[in-house]
């Protein structure tokens, strides 16, 4: 609203004392103060109401008005109840700074003016934005000319002074207006949203992070083309986007909340469009997976991969290597009224795996355009292309898809190229754990990179085996890579619990009992001795002991357990017992 409209409202009892030429200023809010310096509470565009309690002499007016003008307020309204007439020095100061000044009659409460301004400003902004949103709705539903969710978020910023971002369930920024949201903040907000959703709290959810309050609105599937069926929340919580708004919506009027709900529906249309764009990649992955599982000839699989390569690696012109990633989402029956087997986990695992595999270094709406994920039953399977580095042609034969490579990611474990299990989940474990709550588990397995169609079947089995290793570990979100399949660590999770307990108790309980009684640190000594490969000198140095003291402790360990640490078999038994304890 404009200042001029305030004078035209008789109920407000305002009388203009100066600033006739500035009455077309826009009022964006209202603030009441009697502070000498209210600058910290001003953001510009306010109508400032004051009872003049700060005014103790003519010298007080100039600094007060200078602060208001510097903050960009729209105007000043001074009450007459405290001093009677508004002081002439205040009128003169406002004239010098070209700040419109009103006198408020003593019979008019500041609350009346505040309520009127807030109602008018909110109504006008909501009405203007609602009209624009309605136009944008028609644009987005008729084709890609709407410009995507960024346009709607820009409108929220310009018309309602709201900063907002669209986030994936892992906290990755999908869209935003203005400065990007820091990645740790996005992760924290996603975790708040998922935890609140699983707890059944009503949206919008309020989250306070680093001293700032955010309101989180779910962006759900529109269900276009058919009525949306009632779903268990677990079927959508890990795949739906959210809208994060930098504001506290707990005291918003219903009209503004409805407006934000309309915004989420617009963004849901864009989500539908992006999901539809993934259909081709999903179909390619499904076709390749079916060929691999059916034992098709490598030449047939290679031909299908040559069709897929241009879609998954547009513009590169080189056949890639491939990795397979397998994910499974499991729910326990205790999580809700529906039996765990009745929850459609496969499609959710598919959408979640697509999100996890997005390259964080690739921004924009096409950041996931090189990921092909299929699902079969409760399992999601990703076929991930790795661009083959330039090099001499391979002799891999008829089934070859791309050149074999000796290259590797310099930062990757063991110098291996491609995706690595721990890195995949490093940034998403926290929010996903909140969404899984106490009744869900996500497990991933990652294969080694292969460069031939013949190797895909083995890569699929390798990824599935790695996922089973991850499933044997504690935790809500676990992953394992192919390199773990060549280690003794692979065997430990599959040892039955009662066998593990009996084995470790027989070897370690005598040492623990002795340590409790004598504080002899035999367990610590045993760990260090094995870690030093039985070297007396290195172990004594590590423990800051004399070698004779170390020999005494090792002798005590052998006496208590009946084992000989000079024998390889006994060393191995102690090593496994420590790893399983």
């Amino acid at each position: 609203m404009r200042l001029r409209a305030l004078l035209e409202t008789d109920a407000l009892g305002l009388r203009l004392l100066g600033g006739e030429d500035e009455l077309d200023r826009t009022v964006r809010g209202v603030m009441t103060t009697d502070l000498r310096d209210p600058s910290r509470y001003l953001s510009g565009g306010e109508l400032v109401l004051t009872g003049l309690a700060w005014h103790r002499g003519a010298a007080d007016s100039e600094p007060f008005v200078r602060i208001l003008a510097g903050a960009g307020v729209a105007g000043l309204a001074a009450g007459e109840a405290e001093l009677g007439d508004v002081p002439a020095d205040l009128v003169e100061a406002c004239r010098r700074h070209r700040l419109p000044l009103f006198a408020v009659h003593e019979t008019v409460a500041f609350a009346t003016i505040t309520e009127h301004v807030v109602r008018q400003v909110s109504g006008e902004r909501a009405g203007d934005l609602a009209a624009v949103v309605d136009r944008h709705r028609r644009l987005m539903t008729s084709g890609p000319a709407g410009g995507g969710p960024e346009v709607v978020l820009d409108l929220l910023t310009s018309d309602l002074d709201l900063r907002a971002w669209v986030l994936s369930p892992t906290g990755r920024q999908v869209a935003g207006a203005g400065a990007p949201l820091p990645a740790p903040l996005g992760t924290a907000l996603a975790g708040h949203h998922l935890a609140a959703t699983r707890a059944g709290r009503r949206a919008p959810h309020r989250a306070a992070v680093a001293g700032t309050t955010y309101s989180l609105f779910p962006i759900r599937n529109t269900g276009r083309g058919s009525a949306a069926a009632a779903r268990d929340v677990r079927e959508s919580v890990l795949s739906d986007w959210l809208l994060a708004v930098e504001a506290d919506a707990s005291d918003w009027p219903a009209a503004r909340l409805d407006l934000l709900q309309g915004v989420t529906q617009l963004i849901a249309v864009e989500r539908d469009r992006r999901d539809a764009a993934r259909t081709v990649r999903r179909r390619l992955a499904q076709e390749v997976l079916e060929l691999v599982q059916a034992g098709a000839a490598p030449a047939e699989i290679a031909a299908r991969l040559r069709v897929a390569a241009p879609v998954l690696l547009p513009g590169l012109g080189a056949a890639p290597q491939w990795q397979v990633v397998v994910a499974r989402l499991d729910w326990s029956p205790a999580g809700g009224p529906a039996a765990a087997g009745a929850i459609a986990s496969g499609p959710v695992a598919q959408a979640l795996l697509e999100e996890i595999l997005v390259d964080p270094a690739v921004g924009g709406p096409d950041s996931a355009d090189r990921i092909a994920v299929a699902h079969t039953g409760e399992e999601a399977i990703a076929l991930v292309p790795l661009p083959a580095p330039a090099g001499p042609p391979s002799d891999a034969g008829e089934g070859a898809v791309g050149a074999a490579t000796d290259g590797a990611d310099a930062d990757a474990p063991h110098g291996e190229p491609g995706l690595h299990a721990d890195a995949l989940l490093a940034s998403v474990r926290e929010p996903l754990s909140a969404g899984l709550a106490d009744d869900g588990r996500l497990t991933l397995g990652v294969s080694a990179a292969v460069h031939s169609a013949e190797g895909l079947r083995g890569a699929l089995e390798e990824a599935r085996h790695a996922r089973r290793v991850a499933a044997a570990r504690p935790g809500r979100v676990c992953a394992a890579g192919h390199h773990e399949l060549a280690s003794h660590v692979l065997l430990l999770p599959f040892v039955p619990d009662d066998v593990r307990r009996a084995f470790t108790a027989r070897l370690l309980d005598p040492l623990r009992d002795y340590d409790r009684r004598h504080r002899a640190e035999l367990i610590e000594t045993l760990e260090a001795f094995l870690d030093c490969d039985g070297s007396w000198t290195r172990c004594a140095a590590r423990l800051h002991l004399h070698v004779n003291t170390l020999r005494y402790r090792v002798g005590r360990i052998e006496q208590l357990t009946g084992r000989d640490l000079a024998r390889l078999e006994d060393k191995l038994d102690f090593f496994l017992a420590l790893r399983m304890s």
Side-chain angles (χ1 to χ4, degrees), residues 147-420:
E150 288 83 359
V151 175
V152 181
L153 300 184
D154 284 337
L155 293 174
L156 288 178
T157 300
S158 62
D159 286 50
L160 286 183
D161 300 324
L162 294 176
R163 299 177 66 207
W165 302 266
V166 177
L167 304 178
S168 76
T170 65
R172 176 179 62 89
Q173 180 173 319
V174 177
L181 199 66
L185 178 54
T187 299
L189 292 177
H192 278 287
H193 172 73
L194 291 173
T197 301
R198 287 305 316 276
R201 295 202 290 272
R202 185 176 179 179
H205 307 128
R206 184 180 182 276
V209 180
T212 302
T213 300
Y214 299 86
S215 296
L216 310 175
F217 296 79
I219 299 173
R220 298 193 171 94
N221 193 311
T222 61
R224 287 188 301 169
S226 61
R231 298 181 297 175
D232 188 303
V233 68
R234 291 173 288 180
E235 293 187 31
S236 60
V237 66
L238 293 175
S239 57
D240 285 343
W241 288 352
L242 65 135
L243 177 67
V245 180
E246 189 179 310
D248 187 349
S250 58
D251 58 352
W252 281 4
R256 178 169 284 206
L257 289 173
D258 289 345
L259 182 61
L260 266 293
Q261 289 300 124
V263 169
T264 65
Q265 291 169 12
L266 285 179
I267 298 171
V269 173
E270 177 66 13
R271 173 69 186 270
D272 290 343
R273 181 177 292 117
R274 295 189 187 186
D275 283 346
R278 292 182 175 180
T279 302
V280 173
R281 296 190 295 279
R282 288 174 171 175
R283 186 181 301 122
L284 286 171
Q286 195 72 42
E287 291 173 354
V288 172
L289 174 63
E290 290 172 358
L291 289 174
V292 170
Q293 295 190 122
E300 185 178 357
I301 299 174
R304 181 62 62 187
L305 288 175
R306 281 193 291 271
V307 173
V311 176
L312 298 177
L313 292 174
L316 291 187
Q321 301 177 89
W322 303 90
Q323 266 183 295
V324 176
V325 182
V326 173
R328 183 181 174 98
L329 196 56
D330 293 293
W331 301 101
S332 64
I343 301 173
S345 296
V348 180
Q350 181 183 40
L352 191 54
L353 187 52
E354 288 171 336
E355 169 63 27
I356 291 172
L357 292 174
V358 169
D359 184 352
V362 180
D366 298 326
S367 56
D369 68 352
R370 295 178 182 178
I371 300 166
V373 183
H375 78 84
T376 172
E378 302 304 303
E379 196 176 61
I381 302 170
L383 188 65
V384 182
L386 303 175
S394 168
D395 297 327
E398 183 182 17
V401 179
T405 178
D406 294 327
D409 183 350
D411 298 325
H414 314 294
E416 298 166 355
L419 304 173
H420 297 273

Side-chain angles (χ1 to χ4, degrees), residues 489-505:
V489 177
L490 166 66
L491 303 176
L492 298 184
F494 298 101
V495 177
D497 287 344
D498 54 344
V499 176
R500 291 160 65 101
R501 286 193 294 269
F503 181 74
T504 58

Side-chain angles (χ1 to χ4, degrees), residues 103-116:
V104 182
H105 195 273
E106 62 183 9
T107 60
V108 177
F110 282 177
T112 301
I113 301 174
T114 299
E115 181 181 352
H116 176 82

